[in-house]
């Protein structure tokens, strides 16, 4: 009925659940995820600031800075499965499937 519908499995789910669901036909599984702003670039731990009413308030300029020097961007949600992409790919192979890497989309270049 819907040949292009995918089954997506995020890192929000526990490793045991994800491992058990892969054989059911999962078409996209995330791994090595970062949910905090700047998480993949490290920017979430550098150039820290707080935004108030659309304006950047630098550390030390508000009560927000009282959290101390260890402050960093927080994630949008908790990650339950922190395995790396390589670990997930190895699991997929052990289950008898072939991991396919995709970091682009033709729709973005059209």
């Amino acid at each position: 009925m819907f040949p292009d519908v995918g089954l997506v499995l995020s890192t929000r789910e526990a490793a045991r659940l994800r491992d058990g669901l892969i054989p059911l036909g999962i078409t996209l599984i995330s791994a090595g995820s970062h949910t905090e702003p700047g998480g993949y670039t490290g920017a979430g731990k550098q150039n820290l600031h707080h935004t108030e009413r659309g304006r950047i308030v630098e550390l030390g300029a508000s009560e927000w800075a009282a959290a101390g020097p260890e402050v960093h961007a927080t994630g949008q949600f908790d990650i339950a499965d922190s395995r790396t992409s390589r670990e997930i790919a190895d699991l997929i192979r052990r289950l008898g499937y072939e991991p396919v890497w995709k970091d682009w989309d033709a729709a973005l270049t059209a």
Side-chain angles (χ1 to χ4, degrees):
M1 177 181 238
F2 300 107
D4 295 327
V5 172
L7 297 173
V8 179
L9 193 54
S10 80
T11 54
R12 292 181 191 199
E13 310 307 331
R16 185 173 174 196
L17 175 65
R18 288 164 42 100
D19 294 356
L21 290 176
I22 290 172
L24 297 179
I26 299 301
T27 57
L28 179 69
I29 185 168
S30 58
S33 298
H34 289 274
T35 64
E36 72 279 5
Y40 295 103
T41 64
K45 296 181 179 164
Q46 304 166 7
N47 302 322
L48 297 176
H49 66 273
H50 176 68
T51 304
E52 290 179 10
R53 297 183 183 178
R55 303 189 89 178
I56 292 175
V57 178
E58 297 299 332
L59 286 176
S62 74
E63 334 50 75
W64 184 77
E70 297 299 318
V71 175
H72 57 84
T74 56
Q76 298 173 29
F77 56 84
D78 291 332
I79 294 174
D81 187 353
S82 59
R83 292 178 289 182
T84 66
S85 299
R86 180 176 301 245
E87 289 171 315
I88 295 297
D90 289 344
L91 168 67
I92 291 169
R93 285 187 196 94
R94 283 194 309 275
L95 292 172
Y97 304 103
E98 180 182 355
V100 176
W101 300 93
K102 182 179 180 197
D103 60 0
W104 60 271
D105 194 311
L108 298 174
T109 60

